[in-house]
Amino acid sequence: MSERIVVVGAALVDDGRLLAARRSAPVELAGRWELPGGKVEPGETADAALVRELREELGVDAEADGRVPGEWPLKSPYVLQVWTARLRPGSAAPEPLEDHDELRWLRPGEIWDVNWLDQDVPAVRQTLAHLGAAEGLT
Ligand code: DCM
């Protein structure tokens, strides 16, 4: 029996906008947009992994605030979970340091303008349902 491995995606929200990141690798995912994040390492909590990944990939100081209910299958053994996150005061603005070549802050009404990874579409939909009204995203 193989264990499943959790990939955490960040719904990073700032000023009523959601951050989307365009992947530059691997080739089969390049050009598609995702909630930035990555694999949870052994012994690491999901929210700590999220903060680490956002620092590594985007150079930001972020904090996770809560999990979006649900879990979406990726290529086995991976599953995607989403946490909402925000920039801490004084954080640098996000930059595409690794894995991505473009970032966009999506305003309400722009959320579906980018070509999300297939597996991120239901996760983004659920994220909007979860925090849309409270964050002014819907
Ligand atoms: N992944 C995804 N959606 C996300 C984040 C990651 O489908 N929002 C996938 C892409 C990779 C795997 O999870 O196959 C691990 O991600 P990474 O390469 O960023 O560590």
Side-chain angles (χ1 to χ4, degrees):
M1 274 292 288
S2 59
E3 284 297 306
R4 75 208 215 306
I5 300 175
V6 174
V7 171
V8 284
L12 184 62
V13 174
D14 190 59
D15 195 22
R17 305 164 307 167
L18 175 69
L19 190 75
R22 191 172 68 183
R23 288 194 69 108
S24 51
V27 280
E28 62 273 20
L29 304 180
R32 306 289 298 275
W33 294 75
E34 68 174 7
L35 299 173
K39 297 170 193 126
V40 178
E41 291 176 354
E44 189 179 41
T45 61
D47 56 331
L50 194 79
V51 170
R52 176 182 53 74
E53 290 281 350
L54 294 179
R55 186 185 308 114
E56 291 171 0
E57 294 186 353
L58 306 175
V60 297
D61 183 21
E63 66 192 348
D65 1 86
R67 182 160 160 215
V68 174
E71 187 171 276
W72 297 274
L74 302 175
K75 202 166 19 172
S76 177
Y78 300 104
V79 296
L80 177 64
Q81 296 182 357
V82 176
W83 290 67
T84 59
R86 59 191 68 250
L87 297 175
R88 288 203 180 96
S91 172
E95 287 184 89
L97 300 179
E98 51 182 50
D99 299 344
H100 305 110
D101 61 6
E102 194 177 336
L103 303 177
R104 270 189 73 178
W105 285 109
L106 300 171
R107 298 177 181 285
E110 298 176 340
I111 305 289
W112 303 108
D113 288 359
V114 301
N115 189 14
W116 294 102
L117 287 172
D118 293 344
Q119 56 269 27
D120 280 46
V121 168
V124 170
R125 195 179 295 124
Q126 178 65 24
T127 297
L128 294 180
H130 182 69
L131 55 66
E135 295 287 350
L137 279 170
T138 52

